[in-house]
């Protein structure tokens, strides 16, 4: 596999100014079961992170709640001092009370504390992209986004992102601050965030699809994903990622994995070219 293969996915200017390779890497799987605790093989986690950067990835997505406090220190261990072009996107706003337990907390003082801790855990003076992990319904949205804007004005974060929001929530947040990215669940089998994607594209906002490799029955025997993959001598995962990249120029997939082999397989999607017929077939089937 050629060094820099991820760069074949193209680039996107985050916030209109920071260029990233569109096919990135998400770190949620570099933790224990239920996104809780340390990974089974921390050394492999370090190898995955280093290999991702070696293959041209320069957008890493993480969060303080992954572990919690597991993924961010792993990134520092693996990659610090960081390459000049590396963008580490982290998040705050979800607390953890055990495996698979996520609770939104968006109080301004909490978000500020977590930003300060992420700066320390990552070993950086500024977080390039800081995302509100979830909107806390108990706190006014303007207060949550407003605190991120204050951190931005203080030079502690460069760009602000949101996660799991509607178009209406994004528009409301834009009244308080400039929003550079949104991160919603989106894949071949779940396109419920399509209106948000369309609005993001219109606004020049990066769209980070989480859980990008969910393919369900489409990848099963006789399914369209498997058929197209066989025709292209590719894997169903590669086809699913290639479809995302073709779907919109603001799409920034961040497939995660805890193994170097799976990482290399995923990143090979960057050079996969889908024909108009392939794209039409996939889009039509998933629209049912």
């Amino acid at each position: 596999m050629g060094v820099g293969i991820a760069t074949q996915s193209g680039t996107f200017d985050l916030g209109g100014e920071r260029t990233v390779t569109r096919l990135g890497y998400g770190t949620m799987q570099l933790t224990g079961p239920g996104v809780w605790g340390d990974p089974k093989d921390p050394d492999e986690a370090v190898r995955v992170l280093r290999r991702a950067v070696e293959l041209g990835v320069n957008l890493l997505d993480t969060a303080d709640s992954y572990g919690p406090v597991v993924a961010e220190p792993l990134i520092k261990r693996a990659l610090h001092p960081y390459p000049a072009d590396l963008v580490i996107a982290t998040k705050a706003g979800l607390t953890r009370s055990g495996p698979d337990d996520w609770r939104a907390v968006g109080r301004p003082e909490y978000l500020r504390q977590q930003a300060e801790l992420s700066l320390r855990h990552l070993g950086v003076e500024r977080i390039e992209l800081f995302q509100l992990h979830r909107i806390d319904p108990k706190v006014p949205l303007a207060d949550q986004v407003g605190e991120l804007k204050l951190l931005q004005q203080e030079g502690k974060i460069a760009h602000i992102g949101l996660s799991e929001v509607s178009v209406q929530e994004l528009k409301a947040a834009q009244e308080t601050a400039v929003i550079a990215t949104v991160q919603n669940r989106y894949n071949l089998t779940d396109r419920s965030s399509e209106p948000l994607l369309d609005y993001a594209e219109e606004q020049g906002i990066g769209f980070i699809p989480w859980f990008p490799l969910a393919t369900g029955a489409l990848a099963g025997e006789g399914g369209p994903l498997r058929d197209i993959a066989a025709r292209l001598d590719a894997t169903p995962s590669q086809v699913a990622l290639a479809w995302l990249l073709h779907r919109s120029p603001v799409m920034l997939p961040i497939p995660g994995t805890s193994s170097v082999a799976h990482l290399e397989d995923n990143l090979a999607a960057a050079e996969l070219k889908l024909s108009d017929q392939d794209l039409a077939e996939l889009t039509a089937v998933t629209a049912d």
Side-chain angles (χ1 to χ4, degrees):
M1 173 172 289
V3 172
I5 190 172
T7 61
Q8 296 186 47
S9 64
T11 61
F12 176 78
D13 291 338
L14 195 67
E17 60 181 33
R18 187 65 190 264
T19 302
V20 295
T21 296
R22 289 179 60 208
L23 189 54
Y25 173 74
T27 65
M28 192 171 75
Q29 294 188 38
L30 296 185
T31 62
V35 199
W36 185 258
D38 294 318
K40 182 172 64 176
D41 188 345
D43 290 338
E44 178 72 356
V46 167
R47 285 191 289 270
V48 167
L49 287 162
R50 290 175 177 168
R51 184 62 171 153
V53 171
E54 186 179 66
L55 292 175
V57 169
N58 69 351
L59 174 62
L60 299 180
D61 182 82
T62 192
D64 63 350
S65 55
Y66 294 169
V69 197
V70 169
E72 288 181 336
L74 275 171
I75 291 172
K76 183 180 179 183
R77 174 185 162 191
L79 300 170
H80 195 276
Y82 302 115
D85 67 339
L86 183 66
V87 171
I88 302 174
T90 194
K91 313 178 199 71
L94 284 178
T95 60
R96 305 301 305 282
S97 300
D100 293 316
D101 190 336
W102 309 80
R103 307 184 189 200
V105 175
R107 296 194 308 275
E109 64 272 24
Y110 177 74
L111 296 176
R112 175 171 289 270
Q113 170 186 277
Q114 297 310 106
E116 292 286 359
L117 289 174
S118 287
L119 286 167
R120 185 190 306 171
H121 294 145
L122 290 167
V124 296
E125 295 183 357
R126 183 178 74 168
I127 296 166
E128 290 302 311
L129 175 61
F130 194 70
Q131 304 160 90
L132 180 63
H133 210 158
R134 288 294 185 280
I135 293 175
D136 183 347
K138 303 182 295 296
V139 179
L141 176 60
D143 291 353
Q144 298 174 67
V145 177
E147 192 66 25
L148 302 191
K149 184 176 182 180
L150 283 174
L151 289 163
Q152 186 180 49
Q153 291 170 340
E154 294 164 16
K156 293 178 178 179
I157 64 178
H159 301 288
I160 296 170
L162 303 174
S163 179
E164 278 305 301
V165 293
S166 65
V167 172
Q168 291 72 27
E169 289 166 335
L170 171 54
K171 288 181 176 179
Q174 286 178 303
E175 295 178 6
T176 300
V178 175
I179 305 301
T181 62
V182 289
Q183 181 169 164
N184 275 37
R185 176 173 166 137
Y186 185 89
N187 51 56
L188 270 169
T189 60
D190 181 355
R191 295 193 285 147
S192 57
S193 290
E194 196 113 272
L196 182 70
L197 171 58
D198 291 339
Y199 180 74
E201 184 174 331
E202 173 191 313
Q203 295 280 306
I205 293 172
F207 186 98
I208 304 172
W210 63 269
F211 207 22
L213 293 177
T215 53
L218 296 179
E221 197 66 42
L225 197 55
R226 183 175 290 274
D227 290 347
I228 291 173
R231 190 159 70 235
L232 297 174
D233 193 25
T235 66
S237 292
Q238 289 166 355
V239 174
L241 287 170
W243 179 81
L244 285 171
L245 289 167
H246 279 81
R247 172 61 184 82
S248 169
V250 304
M251 189 79 78
L252 306 172
I254 49 164
T257 177
S258 59
S259 93
V260 170
H262 288 154
L263 171 77
E264 292 178 347
D265 183 74
N266 288 340
L267 294 184
E271 60 182 359
L272 186 62
K273 305 301 180 187
L274 300 179
S275 69
D276 290 343
Q277 178 186 338
D278 297 332
L279 291 168
E281 187 177 339
L282 287 167
T283 301
V285 171
T286 56
D288 291 344

